[in-house]
Amino acid sequence: MTLETISTNRSFGGVQGVYAHDSQATGTRMVFSVYVPPHAEGQKLPVLLYLSGLTCTHANVTEKGEFRRACAEAGVIFVAPDTSPRGDEVADDEAYDFGKGAGFYVDATQEPWAAHFRMRTYIEQELPDLLAEHFPVDRTRQGITGHSMGGHGALTIALRNPDRFRSVSAFAPIVSPLNCPWGEKALGGYLGQDRVAWRAYDACALIEDGARLPELLVDQGLGDNFLEGQLKTHLLEEACKASGIPATIRMQEGYDHSYYFISSFMADHVAWHAERLKR
């Protein structure tokens, strides 16, 4: 697969790059960022995939996430894809929580979204193959994390692919789209009104249906305006407890939903993933 280099910058001895390619999954040009830490020639490195939230692109965490020092110290590649397909030919919605910037990491089945909104296939299949072809990635050592809508993506992708990810974490994830306005709007619009089909995209439902994780780390701000109405972290706590999934869910006093919150705990998450990816 052909890869276009948009930019590269030296950082903490490694290289922060931004890249683009023509995606077969979405039928559009997709942009993503990759930080490769310093390493020996020929060495394969563990990789941490970060999925962003509503309205974001790869740029939000790349510019505000403060992950590079931690990744350089731990020897972990950090990958940040976009949240949806882009382009004039891609269907959109005027609202911030649907359409471009709000792909919810699903493969849409409803028109006009089905033509391009195939973020599940992009993240689960196409992007990993592209990374393995062009970067020093060890595909046997993969972790996944994300924020908000991206936390939902990280949890559900990991639960559907239990043999692929050694480590899973999230920042303020949408834990049950079946039970919040953001999720009901997105899943109903992209997948139709059969709520049974939604269960593949709901972390709590997947756990209830038998999916498991080896363990889980979640940070959630207690000052987050979306906590009660949209995120509902307690539902994930209850699901993990009922299923026996070891979950460290940290409710952080005074923190909101922003990148000030994410960057405060990013180094913790990188170190947590690195420990598990290097076992």
Side-chain angles (χ1 to χ4, degrees):
M1 290 179 277
T2 302
L3 192 66
E4 172 192 351
T5 300
I6 296 175
S7 66
T8 58
N9 296 93
R10 194 75 170 165
S11 182
F12 295 103
V15 176
Q16 176 65 66
V18 178
Y19 308 92
H21 70 110
D22 293 328
S23 168
Q24 295 181 358
T26 68
T28 66
R29 183 175 185 262
M30 296 294 289
V31 179
F32 62 95
S33 74
V34 179
Y35 176 70
V36 179
H39 62 285
E41 185 176 354
Q43 181 183 6
K44 296 290 187 179
L45 302 174
V47 60
L48 178 58
L49 186 64
Y50 176 94
L51 305 183
S52 295
L54 287 168
T55 75
C56 291
T57 69
H58 71 282
N60 297 76
V61 70
T62 305
E63 296 169 3
K64 302 176 183 178
E66 300 184 26
F67 56 84
R68 278 173 286 272
R69 181 188 293 275
C71 286
E73 292 174 352
V76 173
I77 293 173
F78 191 97
V79 179
D82 202 345
T83 53
S84 78
R86 309 276 177 175
D88 294 339
E89 74 279 16
V90 176
D92 199 10
D93 188 271
E94 292 182 357
Y96 76 95
D97 56 355
F98 195 67
K100 293 179 185 177
F104 269 82
Y105 305 99
V106 308
D107 278 358
T109 60
Q110 303 299 300
E111 298 300 337
W113 316 104
H116 300 293
F117 281 75
R118 296 182 53 80
M119 291 302 294
R120 173 179 176 174
T121 295
Y122 180 71
I123 298 297
E124 290 186 354
Q125 298 178 26
E126 185 173 21
L127 184 59
D129 289 343
L130 185 72
L131 294 170
E133 182 178 347
H134 293 278
F135 300 94
V137 168
D138 182 348
R139 295 189 71 162
T140 69
R141 295 187 292 160
Q142 299 183 74
I144 190 167
T145 187
H147 171 235
S148 192
M149 178 186 73
H152 139 77
L155 293 175
T156 55
I157 288 169
L159 285 161
R160 290 194 305 264
N161 297 274
D163 297 330
R164 180 178 299 180
F165 298 100
R166 291 194 188 183
S167 56
V168 187
S169 75
F171 301 87
I174 303 170
V175 305
S176 184
L178 278 83
N179 292 291
C180 74
W182 279 342
E184 291 181 352
K185 178 178 181 178
L187 298 186
Y190 293 134
L191 304 176
Q193 295 307 310
D194 179 5
R195 293 177 69 92
V196 174
W198 299 7
R199 296 183 71 84
Y201 298 105
D202 183 296
C204 292
L206 284 164
I207 293 170
E208 183 178 320
D209 293 343
R212 294 292 181 266
L213 297 172
E215 57 184 325
L216 176 64
L217 171 65
V218 171
D219 276 302
Q220 171 63 60
L222 285 171
D224 190 326
N225 291 335
F226 301 115
L227 177 55
E228 292 188 9
Q230 303 281 11
L231 307 178
K232 302 187 178 183
T233 310
H234 69 280
L235 296 178
L236 181 63
E237 287 187 281
E238 293 165 5
C240 288
K241 184 176 181 180
S243 65
I245 295 175
T248 301
I249 299 178
R250 308 187 301 191
M251 306 303 289
Q252 304 288 1
E253 186 69 42
Y255 284 91
D256 59 18
H257 200 67
S258 72
Y259 270 89
Y260 294 108
F261 155 65
I262 297 167
S263 62
S264 296
F265 300 100
M266 180 63 83
D268 285 357
H269 282 242
V270 170
W272 188 86
H273 283 275
E275 180 183 349
R276 285 148 185 82
L277 294 173
K278 291 183 177 181
R279 286 175 181 171

